[in-house]
């Protein structure tokens, strides 16, 4: 039986509609729109596109967006100073530093410099620490949050399911494993030193692939009836975007699967907007 294709674009569009309504309510209540500041400190063209798309998406739901573009040779201290200025600015609700940054910067120091209440990427140790303790009251990383919303949109109840996460990055693998555990899944996290990836994948009722290697997961590895969330974004030699999972074979065995593109990607931006709304509401209303 062919798998249900989880349409990330449609789920993201619904979420953006809900956010737009809530932003309008907030504006009616406090008279000012949430404000997201995106900092671009590299000359990577892909990052420039991501930043532009985030700004556009914010404006579409009524969130104000400001972009700070710094030259790639900006000194470490100058970027930290900008973050401190944004932290102190009462009119800024969310700060996102587009990663990766050029090598003169210390990414960890930049993340730690952010005010956790404005850390809409959810990467600050306070937000990550709360999440790993089972407390989701902080800001939650956007892509992992999007993965969970996609699983829920497919009607899957995670309690008691065996979830296998491929990847242990602080951006995706670790936080998504925390979110799955918080929803009572039994979680296995795999990484580059995992001995038998095919065997681990074969035990997954829910599979989250976040590795960054084109179609590393073969369709034949996937358990019949599994839910497959493919986070990977890879550009193959022909210039086509592919995921970490070999889609056609996996779709023959899975009950539900996300495509690449059009799966997790659109959810990441929608969840960034949601985090900005949450940060603004907490800062401006709930204080
Ligand atoms: P990352 O920081 O490079 O982490 C990759 C993870 O995969 C690491 O934990 C690594 O293990 C593991 N890994 C590498 N090779 C492996 C192998 N052969 N077998 C098992 N595990 C292996 O990447 P990331 O930031 O988490 O991103 C992962 C992918 O998701 C990338 O393709 C990225 O572009 C994509 N992504 C998509 C979105 C979206 O919105 N759709 C958002 C973020 C990321 P070690 O820890 O042992 O090195």
């Amino acid at each position: 039986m062919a798998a249900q294709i989880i349409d990330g674009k449609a789920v993201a569009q619904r979420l953006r509609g809900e956010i737009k309504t809530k932003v309008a309510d907030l504006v009616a209540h406090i008279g000012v729109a949430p404000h997201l500041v995106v900092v671009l400190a590299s000359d990577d063209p892909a990052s420039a596109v991501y930043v532009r798309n985030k700004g556009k998406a914010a404006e579409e739901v009524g969130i104000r967006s400001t972009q700070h573009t710094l030259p790639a040779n900006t000194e470490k201290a100058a970027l930290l100073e900008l973050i401190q200025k944004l932290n102190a600015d009462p009119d800024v609700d969310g700060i996102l530093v587009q990663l990766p940054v050029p090598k003169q910067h210390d990414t960890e120091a930049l993340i730690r410099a952010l005010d956790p209440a404005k850390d809409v990427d959810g990467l600050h140790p306070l937000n990550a620490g709360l999440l790993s303790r089972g407390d989701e009251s902080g800001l939650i990383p956007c892509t992992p949050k999007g993965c969970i919303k996609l699983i829920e949109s497919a009607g899957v109840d995670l309690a008691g399911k065996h979830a296998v996460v491929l990847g242990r990055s602080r951006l995706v693998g670790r936080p998504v494993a925390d979110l799955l555990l918080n929803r009572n899944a039994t979680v296995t996290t795999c990484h580059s030193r995992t001995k038998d990836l095919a065997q681990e994948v074969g035990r997954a009722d829910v599979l989250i692939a976040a590795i960054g290697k084109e179609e590393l997961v073969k369709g034949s590895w996937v358990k019949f009836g599994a839910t497959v969330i493919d986070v990977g974004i890879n550009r193959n030699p022909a210039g086509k975007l592919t995921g970490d999972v070999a889609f056609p074979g996996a779709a023959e065995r899975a009950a539900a699967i996300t495509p690449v593109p059009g799966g997790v990607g659109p959810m990441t931006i929608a969840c960034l907007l949601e985090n900005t709304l949450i940060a603004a509401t907490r800062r401006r209303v709930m204080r």
Side-chain angles (χ1 to χ4, degrees):
M1 202 180 72
Q4 170 199 348
I5 308 299
I6 304 175
D7 184 348
K9 269 196 205 156
V11 179
Q13 196 163 350
R14 272 202 301 279
L15 179 59
R16 281 152 78 145
E18 288 164 22
I19 294 166
K20 191 172 180 173
T21 306
K22 287 182 186 161
V23 168
D25 288 348
L26 183 68
V27 173
H29 186 60
I30 62 171
V32 60
H35 185 196
L36 170 68
V37 175
V38 183
V39 180
L40 176 63
S42 80
D43 54 11
D44 170 34
S47 291
V49 172
Y50 292 145
V51 164
R52 213 172 30 248
N53 289 345
K54 287 170 184 172
K56 222 174 106 216
E59 301 290 347
E60 277 168 16
V61 297
I63 291 175
R64 283 178 293 153
S65 124
T66 304
Q67 182 178 329
H68 284 267
T69 305
L70 308 176
N73 63 358
T74 296
E75 284 184 16
K76 198 171 160 179
L79 182 49
L80 282 168
E81 209 175 293
L82 172 62
I83 291 174
Q84 264 134 25
K85 211 174 105 208
L86 296 171
N87 283 344
D89 185 342
D91 191 42
V92 172
D93 297 297
I95 308 168
L96 184 149
V97 180
Q98 184 66 40
L99 300 175
V101 284
K103 59 180 183 316
Q104 73 270 23
H105 301 289
D106 174 349
T107 303
E108 190 54 37
L110 289 176
I111 291 170
R112 281 173 192 260
L114 290 167
D115 175 349
K118 298 186 180 186
D119 166 38
V120 283
D121 250 348
L123 296 177
H124 188 281
L126 181 74
N127 286 317
L130 284 171
L131 180 60
S132 78
R133 286 164 46 133
D135 179 343
E136 296 187 8
S137 66
L139 289 164
I140 295 167
C142 306
T143 302
K145 198 178 189 182
C147 292
I148 299 296
K149 287 182 191 285
L150 288 177
I151 294 168
E152 286 168 352
S153 80
V156 176
D157 177 10
L158 283 163
K161 296 279 186 332
H162 190 170
V164 175
V165 178
L166 309 184
R168 57 175 165 180
S169 70
R170 69 178 159 199
L171 189 65
V172 189
R174 282 174 199 267
V176 87
D178 288 335
L179 289 169
L180 292 162
L181 193 57
N182 291 352
R183 282 155 188 74
N184 298 315
T186 301
V187 183
T188 301
T189 300
C190 302
H191 45 78
S192 65
R193 308 286 286 273
T194 296
K195 285 232 161 66
D196 190 341
L197 205 63
Q199 190 184 50
E200 300 298 344
V201 168
R203 297 194 298 142
D205 300 315
V206 174
L207 176 69
I208 314 265
I211 295 178
K213 297 227 155 86
E214 186 191 347
E215 300 187 350
L216 182 87
V217 177
K218 307 302 165 214
S220 60
W221 297 2
V222 172
K223 183 175 174 176
F224 282 102
T227 300
V228 178
I229 307 293
D230 192 349
V231 183
I233 303 178
N234 312 290
R235 201 169 281 281
N236 75 9
K240 190 174 162 250
L241 283 189
T242 62
D244 288 347
V245 179
F247 184 88
E252 280 175 21
R253 297 168 71 97
I257 185 168
T258 59
V260 177
V264 177
M267 292 303 291
T268 298
I269 294 195
C271 290
L272 169 69
L273 305 178
E274 186 178 61
N275 277 356
T276 306
L277 172 64
I278 291 170
T281 307
R282 287 184 185 156
R283 292 187 58 255
R284 295 181 191 260
V285 182
M286 291 163 65
R287 276 185 301 172

